[in-house]
PDB file of all heavy atoms in Angstrom:
ATOM      1  N   ARG V 132      24.028  28.803 -29.281  1.00 92.00           N
ATOM      2  CA  ARG V 132      25.325  29.008 -29.886  1.00 92.00           C
ATOM      3  C   ARG V 132      26.282  29.737 -28.976  1.00 92.00           C
ATOM      4  O   ARG V 132      27.485  29.763 -29.206  1.00 92.00           O
ATOM      5  CB  ARG V 132      25.168  29.741 -31.193  1.00 92.00           C
ATOM      6  CG  ARG V 132      24.597  31.140 -31.062  1.00 92.00           C
ATOM      7  CD  ARG V 132      24.873  31.956 -32.314  1.00 92.00           C
ATOM      8  NE  ARG V 132      24.253  31.378 -33.470  1.00 92.00           N
ATOM      9  CZ  ARG V 132      24.642  31.709 -34.705  1.00 92.00           C
ATOM     10  NH1 ARG V 132      25.602  32.547 -34.914  1.00 92.00           N
ATOM     11  NH2 ARG V 132      24.005  31.184 -35.732  1.00 92.00           N
ATOM     12  N   TYR V 164      24.697  17.742 -26.234  1.00 97.00           N
ATOM     13  CA  TYR V 164      23.863  18.727 -26.904  1.00 97.00           C
ATOM     14  C   TYR V 164      22.393  18.552 -26.477  1.00 97.00           C
ATOM     15  O   TYR V 164      21.813  17.534 -26.779  1.00 97.00           O
ATOM     16  CB  TYR V 164      24.044  18.630 -28.417  1.00 97.00           C
ATOM     17  CG  TYR V 164      23.016  19.481 -29.154  1.00 97.00           C
ATOM     18  CD1 TYR V 164      23.106  20.854 -29.185  1.00 97.00           C
ATOM     19  CD2 TYR V 164      21.955  18.861 -29.821  1.00 97.00           C
ATOM     20  CE1 TYR V 164      22.157  21.624 -29.848  1.00 97.00           C
ATOM     21  CE2 TYR V 164      20.976  19.621 -30.490  1.00 97.00           C
ATOM     22  CZ  TYR V 164      21.123  20.988 -30.485  1.00 97.00           C
ATOM     23  OH  TYR V 164      20.171  21.757 -31.112  1.00 97.00           O
ATOM     24  N   ARG V 165      21.835  19.551 -25.846  1.00 96.00           N
ATOM     25  CA  ARG V 165      20.451  19.578 -25.365  1.00 96.00           C
ATOM     26  C   ARG V 165      20.016  18.319 -24.658  1.00 96.00           C
ATOM     27  O   ARG V 165      18.851  17.893 -24.694  1.00 96.00           O
ATOM     28  CB  ARG V 165      19.491  19.770 -26.539  1.00 96.00           C
ATOM     29  CG  ARG V 165      18.959  21.116 -27.040  1.00 96.00           C
ATOM     30  CD  ARG V 165      18.905  22.219 -26.097  1.00 96.00           C
ATOM     31  NE  ARG V 165      20.243  22.777 -25.848  1.00 96.00           N
ATOM     32  CZ  ARG V 165      20.890  23.569 -26.698  1.00 96.00           C
ATOM     33  NH1 ARG V 165      20.318  23.921 -27.778  1.00 96.00           N
ATOM     34  NH2 ARG V 165      22.087  24.012 -26.380  1.00 96.00           N
ATOM     35  N   TYR V 199      20.969  39.612 -30.141  1.00 96.00           N
ATOM     36  CA  TYR V 199      20.946  38.640 -31.252  1.00 96.00           C
ATOM     37  C   TYR V 199      19.605  37.898 -31.273  1.00 96.00           C
ATOM     38  O   TYR V 199      18.990  37.690 -32.316  1.00 96.00           O
ATOM     39  CB  TYR V 199      22.145  37.648 -31.080  1.00 96.00           C
ATOM     40  CG  TYR V 199      22.135  36.565 -32.163  1.00 96.00           C
ATOM     41  CD1 TYR V 199      22.675  36.840 -33.408  1.00 96.00           C
ATOM     42  CD2 TYR V 199      21.534  35.327 -31.939  1.00 96.00           C
ATOM     43  CE1 TYR V 199      22.684  35.853 -34.410  1.00 96.00           C
ATOM     44  CE2 TYR V 199      21.517  34.373 -32.924  1.00 96.00           C
ATOM     45  CZ  TYR V 199      22.068  34.628 -34.158  1.00 96.00           C
ATOM     46  OH  TYR V 199      22.040  33.666 -35.146  1.00 96.00           O
ATOM     47  N   GLN V 204      14.537  35.888 -33.092  1.00 95.00           N
ATOM     48  CA  GLN V 204      13.529  35.004 -32.511  1.00 95.00           C
ATOM     49  C   GLN V 204      12.259  35.765 -32.104  1.00 95.00           C
ATOM     50  O   GLN V 204      12.368  36.923 -31.692  1.00 95.00           O
ATOM     51  CB  GLN V 204      14.105  34.259 -31.294  1.00 95.00           C
ATOM     52  CG  GLN V 204      15.305  33.427 -31.618  1.00 95.00           C
ATOM     53  CD  GLN V 204      15.903  32.753 -30.411  1.00 95.00           C
ATOM     54  OE1 GLN V 204      15.370  32.888 -29.316  1.00 95.00           O
ATOM     55  NE2 GLN V 204      16.994  32.027 -30.597  1.00 95.00           N
ATOM     56  N   CYS V 213      12.879  26.686 -29.400  1.00 97.00           N
ATOM     57  CA  CYS V 213      13.051  25.773 -30.568  1.00 97.00           C
ATOM     58  C   CYS V 213      12.307  24.449 -30.328  1.00 97.00           C
ATOM     59  O   CYS V 213      12.415  23.895 -29.219  1.00 97.00           O
ATOM     60  CB  CYS V 213      14.524  25.529 -30.787  1.00 97.00           C
ATOM     61  SG  CYS V 213      15.338  26.954 -31.509  1.00 97.00           S
ATOM     62  N   ASN V 217      18.809  20.729 -33.296  1.00 98.00           N
ATOM     63  CA  ASN V 217      19.529  20.904 -34.533  1.00 98.00           C
ATOM     64  C   ASN V 217      20.117  19.549 -34.981  1.00 98.00           C
ATOM     65  O   ASN V 217      20.816  18.919 -34.157  1.00 98.00           O
ATOM     66  CB  ASN V 217      20.670  21.929 -34.355  1.00 98.00           C
ATOM     67  CG  ASN V 217      20.143  23.354 -34.277  1.00 98.00           C
ATOM     68  OD1 ASN V 217      18.983  23.623 -34.623  1.00 98.00           O
ATOM     69  ND2 ASN V 217      20.976  24.279 -33.860  1.00 98.00           N
ATOM     70  N   ASP V 241      12.843  26.196 -42.621  1.00 98.00           N
ATOM     71  CA  ASP V 241      12.615  27.372 -43.482  1.00 98.00           C
ATOM     72  C   ASP V 241      12.788  27.003 -44.935  1.00 98.00           C
ATOM     73  O   ASP V 241      11.912  27.245 -45.792  1.00 98.00           O
ATOM     74  CB  ASP V 241      13.633  28.480 -43.018  1.00 98.00           C
ATOM     75  CG  ASP V 241      13.388  29.812 -43.673  1.00 98.00           C
ATOM     76  OD1 ASP V 241      12.481  29.936 -44.515  1.00 98.00           O
ATOM     77  OD2 ASP V 241      14.119  30.779 -43.349  1.00 98.00           O
ATOM     78  N   ALA V 260      11.890  29.686 -38.047  1.00 98.00           N
ATOM     79  CA  ALA V 260      11.052  28.557 -38.408  1.00 98.00           C
ATOM     80  C   ALA V 260      11.077  27.431 -37.425  1.00 98.00           C
ATOM     81  O   ALA V 260      10.206  26.501 -37.479  1.00 98.00           O
ATOM     82  CB  ALA V 260      11.454  28.054 -39.807  1.00 98.00           C
ATOM     83  N   GLU V 296      12.824  18.784 -29.640  1.00 97.00           N
ATOM     84  CA  GLU V 296      13.497  19.286 -28.447  1.00 97.00           C
ATOM     85  C   GLU V 296      12.444  19.517 -27.358  1.00 97.00           C
ATOM     86  O   GLU V 296      12.657  19.319 -26.193  1.00 97.00           O
ATOM     87  CB  GLU V 296      14.256  20.595 -28.747  1.00 97.00           C
ATOM     88  CG  GLU V 296      14.862  21.193 -27.511  1.00 97.00           C
ATOM     89  CD  GLU V 296      15.645  22.491 -27.789  1.00 97.00           C
ATOM     90  OE1 GLU V 296      16.545  22.475 -28.652  1.00 97.00           O
ATOM     91  OE2 GLU V 296      15.367  23.505 -27.150  1.00 97.00           O
TER      92      GLU V 296
HETATM   93  N1  EPU Z   1      17.803  30.393 -40.071  1.00 68.70           N
HETATM   94  C1  EPU Z   1      17.046  30.491 -41.205  1.00 68.70           C
HETATM   95  N2  EPU Z   1      15.661  30.495 -41.077  1.00 68.70           N
HETATM   96  C2  EPU Z   1      15.083  30.421 -39.850  1.00 68.70           C
HETATM   97  C3  EPU Z   1      15.866  30.318 -38.696  1.00 68.70           C
HETATM   98  C4  EPU Z   1      17.236  30.302 -38.844  1.00 68.70           C
HETATM   99  O1  EPU Z   1      17.554  30.565 -42.329  1.00 68.70           O
HETATM  100  O2  EPU Z   1      13.841  30.478 -39.831  1.00 68.70           O
HETATM  101  C5  EPU Z   1      19.265  30.425 -40.173  1.00 68.70           C
HETATM  102  C6  EPU Z   1      19.809  31.717 -39.601  1.00 68.70           C
HETATM  103  O3  EPU Z   1      19.774  32.764 -40.505  1.00 68.70           O
HETATM  104  C7  EPU Z   1      21.195  31.361 -39.204  1.00 68.70           C
HETATM  105  C8  EPU Z   1      21.084  29.835 -38.879  1.00 68.70           C
HETATM  106  O4  EPU Z   1      19.863  29.412 -39.441  1.00 68.70           O
HETATM  107  O5  EPU Z   1      22.086  31.485 -40.250  1.00 68.70           O
HETATM  108  C9  EPU Z   1      21.132  29.595 -37.393  1.00 68.70           C
HETATM  109  O6  EPU Z   1      20.037  30.243 -36.749  1.00 68.70           O
HETATM  110  P1  EPU Z   1      20.154  30.708 -35.221  1.00 68.70           P
HETATM  111  O7  EPU Z   1      21.328  31.518 -34.991  1.00 68.70           O
HETATM  112  O8  EPU Z   1      18.849  31.261 -34.825  1.00 68.70           O
HETATM  113  O9  EPU Z   1      20.463  29.432 -34.415  1.00 68.70           O
HETATM  114  P2  EPU Z   1      19.715  28.055 -34.304  1.00 68.70           P
HETATM  115  O10 EPU Z   1      20.726  26.969 -34.505  1.00 68.70           O
HETATM  116  O11 EPU Z   1      18.472  28.004 -35.137  1.00 68.70           O
HETATM  117  C10 EPU Z   1      20.157  27.701 -31.758  1.00 68.70           C
HETATM  118  C11 EPU Z   1      19.395  27.123 -30.639  1.00 68.70           C
HETATM  119  C12 EPU Z   1      18.499  28.188 -30.007  1.00 68.70           C
HETATM  120  C13 EPU Z   1      19.364  29.349 -29.529  1.00 68.70           C
HETATM  121  C14 EPU Z   1      20.111  29.900 -30.763  1.00 68.70           C
HETATM  122  C15 EPU Z   1      21.026  31.066 -30.415  1.00 68.70           C
HETATM  123  C16 EPU Z   1      18.809  24.759 -31.008  1.00 68.70           C
HETATM  124  C17 EPU Z   1      17.740  23.849 -31.495  1.00 68.70           C
HETATM  125  N3  EPU Z   1      18.536  26.070 -31.133  1.00 68.70           N
HETATM  126  O12 EPU Z   1      19.236  28.055 -32.779  1.00 68.70           O
HETATM  127  O13 EPU Z   1      17.943  27.627 -28.863  1.00 68.70           O
HETATM  128  O14 EPU Z   1      18.541  30.373 -28.982  1.00 68.70           O
HETATM  129  O15 EPU Z   1      20.903  28.830 -31.322  1.00 68.70           O
HETATM  130  O16 EPU Z   1      21.880  30.710 -29.384  1.00 68.70           O
HETATM  131  O17 EPU Z   1      19.850  24.350 -30.542  1.00 68.70           O
HETATM  132  C18 EPU Z   1      16.057  26.538 -27.879  1.00 68.70           C
HETATM  133  O18 EPU Z   1      16.833  25.599 -27.628  1.00 68.70           O
HETATM  134  O19 EPU Z   1      14.861  26.552 -27.531  1.00 68.70           O
HETATM  135  C19 EPU Z   1      16.565  27.653 -28.669  1.00 68.70           C
HETATM  136  C20 EPU Z   1      15.810  28.598 -29.082  1.00 68.70           C
END
Side-chain angles (χ1 to χ4, degrees):
R132 64 162 60 199
Y164 170 72
R165 266 336 76 76
Y199 177 84
Q204 302 178 0
C213 286
N217 285 347
D241 188 357
E296 175 178 305

